Amino acid sequence: MFFETNYASYHFRMTNEKTDNKIHLGPGSSGPFGEADYFDIDTSDEDIWWGAPMLNTETLKATLKYDYEHTASVTSGTDYTSPLDGGFSSSIHWGIAATESPIMFTMLHIKSQIDVVLKTTTGSDAVKLYDETKSGVDRYAKVKVVRAFKSGNVELGRGMVKTSGSTGEYVMKLPTYNSRFSYYFATANEATNAYWSYYVPQELVRNSGANADDFVGIEITTPDGNVYKINQLSEIEATAVGSEAGQGQTNGGFITRWLPNHHYTYTFTLKKTEVTATATVTKWNEVTADKEDVTIE
C-alpha cells in the first residue's frame, strides 16, 4: 500500500460490492472522521457489509459495541461529534500512519437479519400453514413487517446507521427463497423453516409509544385468509441471547431495537384463537424471543 506522506494518518473503511453506486461523499472539509460520507441501505435480501481497522482485534468479540445514542453528524470544519461517540466509534482504530504491517479489517453485517419461524399444534386448534390446493405463493402463509422504516444510510466513518424516508410494510422472503432451506417445512405441517430478510437497524417503538403507529409489528396471513397480528414487537422478550450478543440486550429483556450485526429469530405458534411468540438474538449476533398472546383478526 502506498502512503503519500509519513507525516499523516489515514482512515480506512471497506464495504462489499453491493454498495456500488450507493456511496455519497460529503463536502471536502467535513471533519476528519468521515461521518459526512455515507452509503444507502434498504430492507431487502441483500447482506451489506461495512468494515474498518479495529482496536483489540484479539478480544474484539468481547469488546465490540455499537452506540446508537450518539447520532450527531459532521456539519463542517471542526464541528463534529467526538470519534468515540456513535456507531462503532469506540472500537475503531482511527488513524494509521505509514507502516509496512498489514492493515487488518474487521467486516460486519451492517443490517439486522430477521428470521420468523411459524409453528402450529397437532390438536384440534391447529392452523393450516400450507394449502396444496392453491397455486404459487398463495399456497404459503405470508409474513410481513409493518410500520417499520425500510430505508436508511450508514456513515462510512463510524458505521452509524440512520433510518430515512417513511415507515411502511415489507413482505418477508419465503423459506424456499434461500439456499439454506430446500423445503418450506422443517416439520411437516407443524413448523416452517425461517422466513427471512435483512432489515435496516432501528428502534421498534418510537416516540415512547404515544400512538399505535409508533410500534413496529408483524402480520401473518394464513393460506385460508386468517390474519394474526403482533402489534408491538417491542413487548416480546428475548428467550436466548448468544454469548457474544452484548449491546445491552439481556436474556429475558424486551427486544426494543434491531441492531447492526445481529441476527434475530422470532418463533410464532399459531392456533385457531391465538398466537404465542418466542425470540432469540445472536451475533452475527443471534436473538430469540418468546411470549406474546395475539388474537385472530
Side-chain angles (χ1 to χ4, degrees):
M1 180 175 290
F2 172 74
F3 289 80
E4 288 188 358
T5 173
N6 291 336
Y7 300 102
S9 294
Y10 296 85
H11 307 279
F12 298 94
R13 301 295 180 266
M14 184 181 292
T15 65
N16 58 347
E17 72 281 359
K18 293 179 181 178
T19 61
D20 289 352
N21 303 317
K22 297 180 180 179
I23 294 178
H24 306 270
L25 300 180
S29 59
S30 59
F33 304 114
E35 289 94 339
D37 301 336
Y38 67 94
F39 59 90
D40 299 318
I41 59 173
D42 59 6
T43 294
S44 68
D45 59 346
E46 287 189 329
D47 182 13
I48 303 297
W49 301 351
W50 168 90
M54 298 289 187
L55 300 168
N56 304 318
T57 304
E58 296 301 319
T59 58
L60 184 62
K61 289 183 178 180
T63 61
L64 183 65
K65 183 172 178 59
Y66 180 80
D67 178 6
Y68 54 81
E69 296 292 346
H70 297 88
T71 58
S73 296
V74 168
T75 52
S76 62
T78 58
D79 182 15
Y80 54 84
T81 300
S82 162
L84 298 181
D85 283 345
F88 294 98
S89 297
S90 61
S91 300
I92 294 172
H93 197 309
W94 281 101
I96 298 178
T99 177
E100 294 182 354
S101 300
I103 297 175
M104 305 298 291
F105 281 82
T106 298
M107 300 298 291
L108 304 171
H109 305 270
I110 205 62
K111 295 185 189 179
S112 307
Q113 180 175 336
I114 310 301
D115 284 1
V116 170
V117 173
L118 302 182
K119 290 185 176 182
T120 191
T121 69
T122 57
S124 59
D125 58 352
V127 168
K128 189 174 248 188
L129 300 175
Y130 177 83
D131 188 346
E132 67 281 354
T133 67
K134 297 189 175 183
S135 60
V137 296
D138 292 336
R139 295 180 177 184
Y140 308 99
K142 181 172 72 174
V143 179
K144 66 179 179 181
V145 173
V146 295
R147 301 182 298 278
F149 285 100
K150 297 184 289 183
S151 301
N153 57 69
V154 181
E155 293 179 6
L156 279 169
R158 54 185 178 164
M160 171 65 78
V161 181
K162 299 178 182 178
T163 56
S164 62
S166 57
T167 60
E169 61 184 43
Y170 185 87
V171 177
M172 300 188 73
K173 304 299 181 184
L174 283 165
T176 53
Y177 190 77
N178 191 323
S179 58
R180 291 183 296 165
F181 308 121
S182 299
Y183 304 99
Y184 177 67
F185 279 113
T187 304
N189 301 315
E190 295 180 31
T192 69
N193 280 306
Y195 290 73
W196 62 282
S197 289
Y198 300 113
Y199 279 80
V200 174
Q202 58 191 281
E203 55 187 349
L204 302 184
V205 54
R206 302 175 291 270
N207 303 318
S208 301
N211 302 295
D213 288 343
D214 293 331
F215 294 91
V216 177
I218 282 181
E219 294 183 5
I220 303 163
T221 304
T222 58
D224 55 5
N226 287 317
V227 179
Y228 294 81
K229 294 185 178 182
I230 298 86
N231 290 318
Q232 299 180 9
L233 285 180
S234 57
E235 293 188 353
I236 296 178
E237 298 176 354
T239 55
V241 178
S243 60
E244 299 171 3
Q247 317 298 330
Q249 182 64 59
T250 57
N251 193 358
F254 293 112
I255 302 170
T256 59
R257 178 181 291 272
W258 290 338
L259 292 160
N261 204 45
H262 282 59
H263 180 185
Y264 300 80
T265 302
Y266 294 86
T267 300
F268 298 104
T269 302
L270 307 183
K271 303 176 184 178
K272 287 184 176 177
T273 57
E274 66 176 10
V275 54
T276 58
T278 66
T280 62
V281 188
T282 57
K283 197 182 199 174
W284 166 129
N285 263 3
E286 307 287 341
V287 180
T288 307
D290 265 314
K291 194 179 177 182
E292 179 76 5
D293 294 328
V294 183
T295 57
I296 192 170
E297 296 189 15

